[in-house]
Amino acid sequence: EVRPGVAVMLRALNEALGRSAALWVKESSARNLRHRDFLAPRAALRAAFPGGQVPADVLELVASLCGAGVLAVQGVQQTPAGLEVRLQRPEAFWRLLLCSAPGPAPAQAPCVVLHCPALRGPAALRPRHLRPLLLADHLAQLLRAQGVHVRLVPALAEEGRRDVLRQLRVDWPAGPAGPDLADAVSALKRALARAPCAAGCGQGPGAAALPADVICKVQLKGFMEQQGLVGYDPNLDVLLVTEGKLWSVAELQQAALQCTVSTPAALQAPCLPDGSCCSIVHVVSCEEEFQQQQLDLLWRILDPGPHTALQKYLVCGPVKVTNPSSPIGADQYLQLRKRQMYEASVMKYGELAQDEAWTEVIDTLTAAAIRFEMLSTAHRSQITLDLQDNSISTKGTKSGAFVMYNCARLATLFDTFQQAVEQGTYPPLPPPSELNFSCLREEGEWLLLFNYLLPFPEVLQQAAQLSAPTKGIRITANTEAVCKFLIQLSMDFSSYYNRVHILGEPFPHLFEQMFARLRLLAAVRDVFHSALGTLHLPPLSQI
């Protein structure tokens, strides 16, 4: 059976009205969901029907809605707000909670190279470098979930950076450069000597006037004008080419070629789930974009292959640090957040045991706090890091710690239930096909199903879409969507869990509702785990 989804429902509702335009909206607030699940607003109806009055035969079509992935309608009525639809909720619970997980990724999947220039160079990592790094790591997971092969560059060589990345649970390739890369650099040097826009190469005219570490200089502005390239910084002019720049280009070139070998259609449009054709994405901070555009153009000059024309930029806004006593490194920032998380946890739970289990909990909470701090804002916007001692809390509802706390509450619930089963207090949880979901009538239960279980696959799909403009080199992504989804899910789950007693008295007449609720919350737990997996955050079993 096709899994029900929001997009499928909206398409079916629009078709029932005989309109291609999007007239319907999905409700999400608890207040509106008490009365309806979908609404075609009155203003939209006025534009579609004379006087805004929907004919009776059209109402009948909406009421009898059916099809693959379409949820059955319980009632349709026209009100002052518009045309309201309420679904058959027990049937919706049944279909979504019995639905199997999505199938495996297609065998012939596209490939994307995600390049994070922040990891290059000898300079120490700063908090502003962590934003594009964590964004690239998260985007890689989102793309993989959609069946896209992802290659991450550059490979990490410095042990100190690897340690910071390990603590943040970033899964990034590491290792020294191989002989293939050295051969690629040699080939680029030969191409550079032949390039018409290069000057001073080798022993040619102007070579003596260049600094010792410069191989030659390249005229970027003239190349841009000749190729008609748009979207690049107008201040790009002359680039002094060094050995290091050629190694950076060679590593990108190798990654693109490996993509082509592993998936021959990867660098041919369309290549991504949304149909866009950007296979090489530079995930950069706004401070790094200019330097990366220099390397981009150098690569285009030295390698006119089709892959160099597929370079796009995912640009992160600035990271402002409030009141730093001195410039702070990424490792110092991480240790500061870890100390703050430990102190906040002591305030909430009392003195913590100094054992390996609690160390792992604090480490995970710290990684979650930093990831949500960096990723819950749209990547184009500025973020501000408050380093004051009271800036991290386990109580705030907008934090990674709050999300992890609620995930741990679910783990504790199911551990408690399993222990009760082993002690003979409750019978084992029956399979979903034997449960009666019509007893799920609490408004928080429908909120969890309709706002989170139903749209979750589409949230992941939309977060992985790279929206390219009609021209230029910048793209955008809705990577903040997963963090926002988890924060809102945590708030609604917490409200429900505080209000409703799940594990009741061990009386047989209460088991039916308890089992239905447990099955719903098992599905909510799976959503938590899957979403946190895109952030490389393991679910906590205790907190």
Side-chain angles (χ1 to χ4, degrees), residues 46-364:
R46 284 175 178 164
F49 300 100
Q53 191 63 39
V54 182
D57 60 329
V58 175
L59 291 176
E60 181 60 33
L61 282 174
V62 175
S64 58
L65 216 58
C66 62
V70 176
L71 294 170
V73 172
Q74 176 180 306
V76 184
Q77 63 174 339
Q78 192 153 3
T79 70
L83 188 59
E84 299 182 353
V85 163
R86 186 178 173 89
L87 299 176
Q88 293 183 19
R89 294 185 173 183
E91 190 255 7
F93 276 109
W94 177 275
R95 288 182 63 186
L96 277 163
L97 296 180
L98 265 68
C99 199
S100 59
Q108 182 60 37
C111 179
V112 172
V113 175
L114 292 181
H115 174 223
C116 189
L119 290 175
R120 296 192 184 278
L125 288 177
R126 302 283 183 195
R128 63 180 176 85
H129 296 127
L130 296 182
R131 189 179 190 186
L133 170 63
L134 293 174
L135 181 64
D137 181 66
H138 180 41
L139 181 57
Q141 288 295 91
L142 291 169
L143 288 169
R144 287 169 182 145
Q146 300 304 313
V148 178
H149 292 301
V150 178
R151 291 190 178 274
L152 300 170
V153 290
L156 280 175
E158 186 188 332
E159 185 58 38
R161 295 188 177 194
R162 289 190 213 175
D163 184 55
V164 170
L165 267 58
R166 271 196 296 268
Q167 292 183 68
L168 290 172
R169 303 182 186 276
V170 173
D171 185 16
W172 202 272
D180 290 348
L181 200 58
D183 292 342
V185 171
S186 297
L188 289 174
K189 286 181 179 178
R190 292 192 294 271
L192 190 59
R194 298 190 301 268
C197 51
C201 298
Q203 303 301 317
L210 296 175
D213 63 333
V214 173
I215 299 171
C216 69
K217 60 182 179 180
V218 174
Q219 299 289 340
L220 301 180
K221 186 179 287 289
F223 176 77
M224 283 193 298
E225 293 170 353
Q226 177 192 352
Q227 298 293 318
L229 300 175
V230 295
Y232 288 84
D233 193 304
N235 295 309
L236 287 165
D237 193 359
V238 176
L239 173 64
L240 300 180
V241 181
T242 62
E243 186 94 7
K245 288 182 172 64
L246 289 180
W247 278 91
S248 298
V249 169
E251 190 169 11
L252 274 171
Q253 184 184 52
Q254 291 290 97
L257 291 174
Q258 287 164 2
C259 260
T260 310
V261 170
S262 61
T263 55
L267 295 177
Q268 299 172 9
C271 66
L272 290 179
D274 64 346
S276 63
C277 59
C278 53
S279 293
I280 299 151
V281 181
H282 303 293
V283 186
V284 297
S285 67
C286 51
E287 298 94 342
E288 298 161 338
E289 186 181 13
F290 183 83
Q291 289 80 7
Q292 184 52 49
Q293 287 185 16
Q294 291 178 321
L295 292 183
D296 168 341
L297 293 171
L298 177 61
W299 188 14
R300 288 173 182 260
I301 290 168
L302 301 181
D303 180 2
H307 42 273
T308 59
L310 297 176
Q311 299 179 79
K312 298 291 181 182
Y313 289 75
L314 194 64
V315 182
C316 296
V319 176
K320 180 182 178 183
V321 179
T322 59
N323 302 321
S325 56
S326 60
I328 185 171
D331 53 345
Q332 295 169 294
Y333 165 61
L334 197 154
Q335 294 308 315
L336 173 66
R337 286 291 185 245
K338 184 179 292 188
R339 176 178 62 79
Q340 291 172 336
M341 187 57 68
Y342 178 84
E343 292 170 355
S345 298
V346 168
M347 288 184 65
K348 184 176 180 68
Y349 305 109
E351 195 61 38
L352 308 178
Q354 300 294 321
D355 59 17
E356 189 175 335
W358 261 108
T359 299
E360 177 66 18
V361 168
I362 296 299
D363 287 349
T364 302

Side-chain angles (χ1 to χ4, degrees), residues 361-536:
V361 168
I362 296 299
D363 287 349
T364 302
L365 289 175
T366 303
I370 291 174
R371 280 184 176 266
F372 275 75
E373 196 168 33
M374 293 285 183
L375 296 175
S376 57
T377 302
H379 68 84
R380 301 169 299 281
S381 303
Q382 174 179 296
I383 60 173
T384 301
L385 303 181
D386 185 356
L387 302 185
Q388 300 299 316
D389 282 346
N390 60 355
S391 59
I392 286 290
S393 169
T394 59
K395 298 179 181 178
T397 57
K398 301 298 177 69
S399 69
F402 179 69
V403 171
M404 302 305 289
Y405 168 66
N406 281 285
C407 189
R409 293 172 86 184
L410 274 168
T412 301
L413 169 69
F414 283 96
D415 285 347
T416 304
F417 172 72
Q418 188 57 40
Q419 291 168 12
V421 170
E422 292 168 359
Q423 293 165 3
T425 306
Y426 301 130
L429 183 63
S433 58
E434 297 177 15
L435 298 179
N436 176 19
F437 294 114
S438 63
C439 61
L440 295 178
R441 292 182 290 269
E442 217 278 339
E443 74 172 30
E445 291 154 359
W446 180 246
L447 206 66
L448 290 171
L449 185 100
F450 194 62
N451 282 350
Y452 304 103
L453 299 189
L454 176 66
F456 178 59
E458 291 160 90
V459 170
L460 292 184
Q461 184 180 27
Q462 290 162 9
Q465 287 181 354
L466 303 174
S467 304
T470 54
K471 62 179 182 177
I473 56 175
R474 284 192 174 192
I475 60 175
T476 58
N478 297 317
T479 46
E480 74 278 8
V482 173
C483 286
K484 289 183 174 180
F485 176 89
L486 279 168
I487 288 167
Q488 196 61 50
L489 170 58
S490 299
M491 292 171 66
D492 284 338
F493 164 72
S494 181
S495 174
Y496 171 73
Y497 193 75
N498 291 338
R499 192 172 62 248
V500 176
H501 190 53
I502 307 298
L503 301 180
E505 296 295 327
F507 299 134
H509 70 280
L510 299 177
F511 288 162
E512 183 178 62
Q513 186 177 60
M514 182 182 74
F515 287 153
R517 284 174 168 168
L518 283 171
R519 183 58 62 183
L520 169 65
L521 293 181
V524 170
R525 178 190 59 189
D526 292 344
V527 165
F528 265 111
H529 290 188
S530 181
L532 288 171
T534 70
L535 295 161
H536 275 133

Side-chain angles (χ1 to χ4, degrees), residues 10-58:
L10 291 172
R11 186 163 55 249
L13 287 166
N14 284 318
E15 289 173 356
L17 292 185
R19 299 292 185 275
S20 57
L23 301 181
W24 294 87
V25 294
K26 173 192 171 296
E27 294 291 4
S28 59
S29 72
R31 179 182 177 183
N32 288 340
L33 286 174
R34 292 174 191 144
H35 313 291
R36 60 183 183 247
D37 300 313
F38 294 94
L39 172 71
R42 183 171 55 180
L45 295 179
R46 284 175 178 164
F49 300 100
Q53 191 63 39
V54 182
D57 60 329
V58 175

